[in-house]
């Protein structure tokens, strides 16, 4: 989903997406809101599966949806959970995000009102990049 109301408040967009999470196995609901450099915001949520490895994270859901809408550059990710402490994206999501936005601002918020901020390059200082493929 992408609209101007979400662009006004990516945190609210991430929290709204969290409520759509399908997490019957972990009961750990995650929402993500990814802001493209044109200001539009695209959301995702985790979608689990009875075949556990087939489940997907909220961040990569948002990234896939955003790329499908034609976005390739991003400046902000907000991750929303109900956890006690704000949670950063997992390693696989860090790698996926670094492909498009190595300097992405990453904000984690909780329903309890806590917040943490990072820069993706600090969370994943040595990503495998498109340039890495040429070093063969
Ligand atoms: N999860 C995410 O959606 N994003 C993360 O960065 C970490 C974990 C999901 C995957 C799984 O559905 C649940 O949270 C518990 O790991």
């Amino acid at each position: 989903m992408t609209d101007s109301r979400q662009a006004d408040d990516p945190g609210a967009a991430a929290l709204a997406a969290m409520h759509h999470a399908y997490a019957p196995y972990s009961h750990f609901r995650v929402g993500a809101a990814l802001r493209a450099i044109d200001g539009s915001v695209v959301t995702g949520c985790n979608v689990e599966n009875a075949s556990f490895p087939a489940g997907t994270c909220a961040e990569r859901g948002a990234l896939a949806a955003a790329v499908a809408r034609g976005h390739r550059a991003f400046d902000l990710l907000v991750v929303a959970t109900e956890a006690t402490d704000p949670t950063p994206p997992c390693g696989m999501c860090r790698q996926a995000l670094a492909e498009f936005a190595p300097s992405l601002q990453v904000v984690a918020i909780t329903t309890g009102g806590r917040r943490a901020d990072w820069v993706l390059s600090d969370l994943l200082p040595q990503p495998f990049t498109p340039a890495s493929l040429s070093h063969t």
Side-chain angles (χ1 to χ4, degrees), residues 2-3 8 12 17 21-22 33 47 56 65 67-68 80 94-95 99-100 104 115-116 124-126 129 132:
T2 176
D3 66 29
D8 290 345
Y22 177 73
V47 180
T56 54
V67 172
R94 295 178 197 192
Q95 174 64 34
E99 177 86 7
F100 296 94
L104 187 68
R115 171 181 171 144
L124 187 66
Q126 297 289 334
T129 69
S132 307

Side-chain angles (χ1 to χ4, degrees), residues 26 28 30 46 48 56-59 88-90 93:
S26 72
F28 190 83
V30 186
N46 54 331
E48 297 184 348
T56 54
C57 289
E59 296 91 328
C90 78
C93 290

Side-chain angles (χ1 to χ4, degrees), residues 34-35 37 72-77 94-107 117-125 127 129:
L34 189 57
R35 187 173 69 195
I37 55 171
R72 294 277 177 92
F74 308 97
D75 66 358
L76 174 67
L77 171 73
R94 295 178 197 192
Q95 174 64 34
L97 292 161
E99 177 86 7
F100 296 94
S103 302
L104 187 68
Q105 181 188 355
V106 178
V107 178
D117 293 66
W118 303 274
V119 176
L120 183 58
S121 54
D122 290 332
L123 294 174
L124 187 66
T129 69

Side-chain angles (χ1 to χ4, degrees), residues 6-50:
Q6 291 198 135
D8 290 345
D9 191 347
L15 284 164
M18 184 198 78
H19 286 101
H20 294 297
Y22 177 73
Y25 308 107
S26 72
H27 304 287
F28 190 83
R29 300 194 296 176
V30 186
L34 189 57
R35 187 173 69 195
I37 55 171
D38 70 355
S40 51
V41 172
V42 181
T43 60
C45 62
N46 54 331
V47 180
E48 297 184 348
N49 191 277

